[in-house]
Amino acid sequence: MPRQKSEKRTHSEAFGTSDSQPQQLYDDDLPASDAQPTIVLQIGSSTLTLGFATDPTPQSIPHIIAYKGYGLTTKPSNKSREGIRDETLVLDFPWIITPALEDARDSSLSKIQESLELLRAGAGIHDTEVNVREYLAHNSRVQPEARESEELSMTDISAQPRCLIGNEVLYLPPGSGYTVYRPLRYGQLNCTNHDSLPQWAAPLSRSALLSMLEDLWTKAFEEYLQIDKRDFKNHRIVLLVSDVINRALFKEFMNILLVKMEFAAAFLHQESVCAAYCAGMASCCVVNVGDEVTHISCIEEGMSNPNTRLILHYGGSDITRLFFSLLQKTKFPYSKCTSESRLDGVLIQQLKETVCHLDATIWGVRNYQFSVMSPLPGRLLDYEIKLSDEGIIAAMGMFFPAAFCLPDYTFLMRGQQPQAPEREDLLEECLDIPLAQRPVEQSENLTSEEQLAGMFVGHPLRPGEVGLPEVTRRIRRVNKGRVLPLDQAVHLSISCTSSLELKGKLYSSILLVGGGLSFPGSSKMLQSQLERNSPPADSIDVYSNVRELDSSHIAWKGGAVLSCLDTCHELWIDKQEWDFSGVRLLRERAPFLW
């Protein structure tokens, strides 16, 4: 008999904890695995995190794939490939930067400087002026030092493999003859972003993108987990998905895993719930900062409240682009660095991870070193650079998002798609229509809280794009011309909960996860920004790096532990059940409101 939603157990009933404070879980607490090994797969906004449930830590790779030649397209003989935009170019803006956006960025950078001065003054640090001319002159005089090293090398393509994935794609040599694809962008199938395709190529179909995902995941399991494709049928898999329910996309994910790849069984779970379980929090507000998007959701007794789910379409990649623009103003000694180079994008990301922080008490000029591949094989060029506040200013863009040069349109949308289960043809249409191109309706006769509850910020329209016919989701536009900062988005999410007592509990249990904001001092900075506008009675506590785990692995670890519990055995869906009942099983067994 199908299990009713009212029969779902709360976090404290199912997992034996009701304390809102973090509780330590240790690897010794992992139950013994069943006869079939379990894989945990987490799909981030730009990374793929995978590993066995019994592994102490997972492996993460860029969620990209490159095909020899033109992959799933056919090249006419009389056309050229000029004008292609490589979607792995993280330093290149995927939208047009207008003078108005540049003015907004300059204004936000000034506000960030003022905010830093106030924070340092509050910490008793007053004289923070640095000699800008001195360290700029030093950077302009730096000359690289060559050395022999095998630390970095280009991908070996002598065997001419059909496809490459992950880091192998990032280090493809120029002129390799491979075409790079990103099947997912902003958590959706990348159906309409055709900038990475030649001008002669037809738009990628949904089936082509799903085929790419199948190839990518299959190769990832074979190369990183050492599982032969023929042995998938002897493994089970847990798929961690975002809180914002895209039923049609999740159905396709399950279809790939159970039908195409033939895993023995699978089930879905939400990233925020898994992160909360790993931290030992029955009720908390989870802030998951990814590379392209930031998810915010409030967990109440182990269940994600759909009225509190938000998505902000900015994250770690926006910090990278802002950091690169600040470096260009510091006489960056590697003068050949350009946004059109994939390797230079990798370099700036690595430098960002070293330099960026959110500790306002760190100030002054500091020395950093970085290495660049030499044109000669087996050699590296070592550079030294002096920087001041560029690292903290770039990371502070999360609280002043206009500094990211985001377009002037902000959409707040429902956090769950209320499609009718009888009309699965409508579900299919959702995959082909991106969030940006859904029709916009003006909200009328609604209070401010009713307008904002249960919404998330969508990806803006690009110049020249037009709306498509409405399918199933209704979209409301509010706050046109203003992008919501991270701290205000957290306040908004918590304000959409039901009671004052619950709001106070959530403010005291804010969990910061994801790799987009994993810098020193990030939790303390988020807490200080929240305290500026919070009610005086609320005590705010922000937690990160619980269990001494990398913040980008917390959700994966929680999913790994949950997959081994006896209470989750009823969630598994095997291939035979999926073939017989299909998506109806997700409505019956999903551990969240479907």
Side-chain angles (χ1 to χ4, degrees):
M1 183 176 180
R3 184 163 54 90
Q4 301 297 320
K5 295 295 179 183
S6 59
E7 296 175 355
K8 288 194 173 183
R9 303 169 185 171
T10 64
H11 188 288
S12 56
E13 292 171 336
F15 309 130
T17 177
S18 59
D19 190 1
S20 64
Q21 299 301 318
Q23 298 178 357
Q24 293 294 323
L25 298 173
Y26 298 94
D27 292 334
D28 293 340
D29 299 330
L30 276 171
S33 60
D34 292 335
Q36 291 179 322
T38 301
I39 299 170
V40 181
L41 181 67
Q42 181 182 3
I43 304 174
S45 55
S46 66
T47 60
L48 190 68
T49 304
L50 68 161
F52 290 103
T54 53
D55 290 343
T57 57
Q59 301 182 66
S60 296
I61 62 172
H63 204 186
I64 51 180
I65 187 169
Y67 288 96
K68 180 63 179 174
Y70 297 95
L72 305 180
T73 60
T74 303
K75 178 179 185 275
S77 59
N78 59 344
K79 296 290 183 178
S80 69
R81 297 186 70 247
E82 294 181 359
I84 304 173
R85 179 182 179 273
D86 186 345
E87 289 190 330
T88 61
L89 301 179
V90 295
L91 304 181
D92 189 22
F93 283 93
W95 54 80
I96 298 175
I97 304 300
T98 64
L101 293 180
E102 292 179 342
D103 292 341
R105 177 184 60 192
D106 295 339
S107 176
S108 291
L109 292 177
S110 299
K111 293 178 181 178
I112 291 175
Q113 290 282 14
E114 295 174 1
S115 178
L116 285 177
E117 291 177 3
L118 291 175
L119 289 171
R120 287 166 176 166
I125 303 173
H126 298 283
D127 186 12
T128 59
E129 293 187 5
V130 297
N131 191 332
V132 177
R133 290 185 178 181
E134 180 179 341
Y135 81 83
L136 292 184
H138 171 271
N139 292 342
S140 64
R141 294 192 302 266
V142 169
Q143 295 296 322
E145 296 183 2
R147 64 182 172 91
E148 294 184 0
S149 175
E150 299 295 335
E151 295 177 12
L152 299 175
S153 60
M154 304 301 288
T155 301
D156 182 9
I157 56 173
S158 58
Q160 297 292 299
R162 171 179 172 265
C163 64
L164 299 167
I165 64 169
N167 292 316
E168 292 179 334
V169 177
L170 296 180
Y171 290 96
L172 274 172
S176 59
Y178 282 82
T179 304
V180 179
Y181 299 92
R182 290 188 62 182
L184 297 176
R185 290 298 303 268
Y186 298 95
Q188 304 291 322
L189 281 178
N190 194 11
C191 292
T192 58
N193 189 0
H194 311 307
D195 294 334
S196 64
L197 296 178
Q199 297 174 351
W200 46 261
L204 285 177
S205 66
R206 181 185 65 200
S207 59
L209 291 167
L210 294 174
S211 179
M212 288 181 188
L213 286 175
E214 180 186 350
D215 289 342
L216 202 163
W217 296 352
T218 299
K219 197 170 181 64
F221 295 143
E222 290 179 335
E223 292 188 358
Y224 291 89
L225 300 185
Q226 306 300 314
I227 306 175
D228 188 87
K229 182 178 181 179
R230 293 168 295 183
D231 199 34
F232 288 170
K233 62 181 180 293
N234 298 321
H235 293 74
R236 303 184 303 177
I237 187 166
V238 179
L239 182 62
L240 305 188
V241 295
S242 66
D243 290 359
V244 178
I245 310 301
N246 187 330
R247 297 172 181 169
L249 187 57
F250 294 172
K251 170 194 167 185
E252 294 294 351
F253 287 166
M254 290 290 287
N255 200 56
I256 291 174
L257 296 173
L258 292 176
V259 178
K260 303 293 185 181
M261 302 175 70
E262 299 184 339
F263 277 95
F267 75 79
L268 301 178
H269 218 314
Q270 293 172 301
E271 291 176 324
S272 63
V273 175
C274 293
Y277 179 69
C278 181
M281 297 179 176
S283 298
C284 63
C285 179
V286 179
V287 182
N288 187 356
V289 183
D291 189 60
E292 291 184 327
V293 295
T294 298
H295 294 262
I296 302 175
S297 178
C298 292
I299 308 300
E300 302 177 20
E301 294 299 325
M303 296 289 289
S304 173
N305 185 342
N307 291 331
T308 64
R309 300 171 186 162
L310 288 89
I311 292 183
L312 308 175
H313 277 267
Y314 56 83
S317 61
D318 298 279
I319 296 176
T320 303
R321 284 191 287 266
L322 178 57
F323 180 61
F324 178 56
S325 67
L326 296 174
L327 285 180
Q328 291 176 311
K329 299 178 181 179
T330 63
K331 306 290 185 181
F332 192 50
Y334 177 40
S335 58
K336 295 182 180 180
C337 187
T338 172
S339 62
E340 299 177 357
S341 169
R342 187 186 303 125
L343 290 177
D344 289 346
V346 175
L347 167 66
I348 298 301
Q349 282 187 310
Q350 294 172 346
L351 192 57
K352 177 195 74 172
E353 294 170 0
T354 303
V355 175
C356 287
H357 64 92
L358 282 167
D359 187 349
T361 61
I362 298 176
W363 63 279
V365 178
R366 309 179 77 186
N367 293 333
Y368 300 94
Q369 290 78 36
F370 63 93
S371 300
V372 178
M373 280 189 182
S374 169
L376 300 176
R379 296 178 68 85
L380 293 179
L381 300 178
D382 292 334
Y383 288 85
E384 182 184 69
I385 185 174
K386 287 189 174 182
L387 297 173
S388 179
D389 282 339
E390 288 78 12
I392 190 172
I393 290 174
M396 284 286 287
M398 295 293 293
F399 307 103
F400 299 86
F404 294 146
C405 287
L406 300 174
D408 295 333
Y409 296 93
T410 300
F411 298 105
L412 296 184
M413 307 165 64
R414 291 194 182 279
Q416 186 168 3
Q417 302 179 18
Q419 295 96 339
E422 300 79 18
R423 296 294 307 279
E424 290 199 10
D425 57 323
L426 293 182
L427 300 185
E428 302 294 336
E429 294 180 31
C430 292
L431 286 173
D432 290 326
I433 299 180
L435 304 182
Q437 295 184 349
R438 311 269 174 86
V440 178
E441 291 185 358
Q442 293 291 341
S443 299
E444 298 178 357
N445 302 322
L446 293 174
T447 65
S448 174
E449 186 163 296
E450 287 174 334
Q451 283 182 327
L452 299 177
M455 306 292 170
F456 66 82
V457 179
H459 189 50
L461 285 169
R462 294 184 183 181
E465 291 183 337
V466 296
L468 297 180
E470 182 173 5
V471 279
T472 55
R473 181 188 284 182
R474 308 177 74 186
I475 297 178
R476 301 167 177 170
R477 175 191 291 178
V478 297
N479 281 349
K480 179 179 177 181
R482 181 172 178 269
V483 182
L484 210 59
L486 179 61
D487 54 318
Q488 294 184 25
V490 174
H491 281 305
L492 173 58
S493 178
I494 295 178
S495 70
C496 294
T497 53
S498 56
S499 66
L500 290 176
E501 180 181 359
L502 179 59
K503 288 182 175 69
K505 183 184 295 186
L506 294 174
Y507 273 118
S508 63
S509 304
I510 297 174
L511 181 61
L512 181 61
V513 300
L517 202 61
S518 56
F519 305 126
S522 57
S523 58
K524 186 176 181 181
M525 179 61 73
L526 176 58
Q527 180 172 326
S528 66
Q529 295 295 319
L530 289 169
E531 289 173 344
R532 293 191 309 168
N533 300 314
S534 67
D538 287 333
S539 173
I540 297 178
D541 293 301
V542 180
Y543 300 93
S544 63
N545 298 325
V546 295
R547 301 184 61 206
E548 299 182 354
L549 282 173
D550 187 314
S551 60
S552 60
H553 296 161
I554 291 175
W556 183 92
K557 189 65 174 180
V561 178
L562 282 170
S563 68
C564 299
L565 297 181
D566 292 338
T567 52
C568 289
H569 283 183
E570 61 186 21
L571 304 179
W572 290 104
I573 300 172
D574 62 38
K575 185 179 184 300
Q576 290 73 26
E577 291 175 317
W578 182 261
D579 289 339
F580 182 77
S581 301
V583 73
R584 289 190 294 274
L585 280 174
L586 290 177
R587 291 194 293 273
E588 296 170 4
R589 299 190 186 179
F592 47 84
L593 297 177
W594 183 259

